[in-house]
Amino acid sequence: MKASTVLLIGAALVLGLTPAARAQRVLLRANVAEDTIRSSFGPNRTYYNHFYLGYAAVVGAPARAGAALEYGKSGELFLGLRNKFRLSQAASVGLDLRYARLSYHLKQNSQKVLPDAQTHYREYVALPQLQSEAFVRLNYGRRGNAIGRYLDLTGWGGWVASSVHHYEDRAGAAGAKRTVVSERGLSYVRRWTYGVGARLGSGRYALVGRYRLSDTFTRAARPAYPELPRWTVGIELGWL
């Protein structure tokens, strides 16, 4: 037998005994594209929720004299959770739950009647509230899985969880440097509040405006106290 023939036969035997040279059998086959399920949760998907916070200043004038405000200090600080349900690429609906602390800082002058005519070094009425707000969202502009640009039309209502009349006098009584008093559970304040509003946003930032339809004071207190401004306007930041 020729030497070349022997070498060919030996090489064939070696290759046949080597595992890498044998035919390989597929144990598992997967199609990644078919295995991936698109999530229904996301900024521009069926369902989404996120926290937000913001501040809205009180704007406008009281109904009549007697409750002049310090506008740089009067406003509403709020923190909430927003739930959004997408109806289509252009429209969504949703519901907010939030805590809001609305405060009216009163100017001290001779016309003051809220809650009395006495003047102090500093004075305000605070109305912490638990609120719920429903909204319809109109989206505009192209976007991917992101909040994008939008306009919300809202209707809201809430419960005034507490009411505080706070004032400070300097110098204080009995030789003290100052006297600080907080009167809680004000009988002349309504417990329920409601209104409408709008929100113009882009991504995590939004301009907000709300108009209160309900009165601040009870029916018995309205003749004595001028209605406080109904508008608040401010900015909101979302935790996306």
Side-chain angles (χ1 to χ4, degrees):
M1 183 178 293
K2 293 182 178 181
S4 60
T5 304
V6 173
L7 290 174
L8 289 173
I9 293 172
L13 289 173
V14 172
L15 291 173
L17 294 174
T18 304
R22 297 176 183 174
Q24 297 182 2
R25 183 172 56 187
V26 177
L27 299 179
L28 178 64
R29 178 179 287 114
N31 188 325
V32 176
E34 293 178 358
D35 241 10
T36 302
I37 300 175
R38 180 174 176 173
S39 172
S40 61
F41 180 85
N44 189 31
R45 293 188 176 151
T46 305
Y47 172 73
Y48 188 58
N49 60 19
H50 65 89
F51 289 98
Y52 64 92
L53 58 84
Y55 178 79
V58 172
V59 296
R64 62 180 189 273
L69 300 180
E70 296 185 21
Y71 287 99
K73 299 178 180 179
S74 301
E76 183 179 60
L77 182 67
F78 54 90
L79 170 68
L81 173 66
R82 176 164 302 136
N83 299 274
K84 179 178 73 75
F85 303 89
R86 194 185 76 170
L87 302 178
S88 67
Q89 282 288 348
S92 302
V93 296
L95 183 69
D96 289 13
L97 298 174
R98 66 172 172 258
Y99 168 81
R101 187 180 187 276
L102 176 62
S103 60
Y104 297 99
H105 286 254
L106 302 169
K107 280 187 177 181
Q108 306 301 301
N109 55 37
S110 59
Q111 295 180 314
K112 176 178 170 292
V113 297
L114 176 67
D116 52 43
Q118 186 176 354
T119 58
H120 305 278
Y121 177 79
R122 181 184 295 118
E123 184 178 22
Y124 65 82
V125 174
L127 305 174
Q129 304 171 30
L130 300 176
Q131 298 178 348
S132 178
E133 181 176 68
F135 64 89
V136 175
R137 173 166 296 181
L138 305 176
N139 296 294
Y140 58 96
R142 299 184 63 180
R143 68 196 189 284
N145 185 26
I147 291 292
R149 291 175 290 177
Y150 62 88
L151 170 66
D152 287 352
L153 303 177
T154 72
W156 57 273
W159 176 60
V160 179
S162 66
S163 53
V164 182
H165 170 226
H166 177 95
Y167 64 88
E168 177 182 336
D169 290 328
R170 297 185 186 182
K177 289 185 177 180
R178 62 177 183 166
T179 298
V180 179
V181 177
S182 291
E183 301 173 341
R184 301 180 182 274
L186 308 178
S187 61
Y188 49 84
V189 172
R190 284 171 54 102
R191 284 292 185 179
W192 297 98
T193 183
Y194 56 89
V196 295
R199 186 166 41 244
L200 182 65
S202 178
R204 63 189 304 184
Y205 303 100
L207 296 174
V208 297
R210 299 191 185 101
Y211 181 80
R212 176 172 48 82
L213 295 170
S214 59
D215 294 325
T216 303
F217 305 111
T218 61
R219 186 184 298 273
R222 284 177 215 162
Y225 299 144
E227 181 57 49
L228 295 171
R230 298 178 182 271
W231 280 101
T232 56
V233 177
I235 191 168
E236 177 185 292
L237 174 65
W239 297 345
L240 305 180

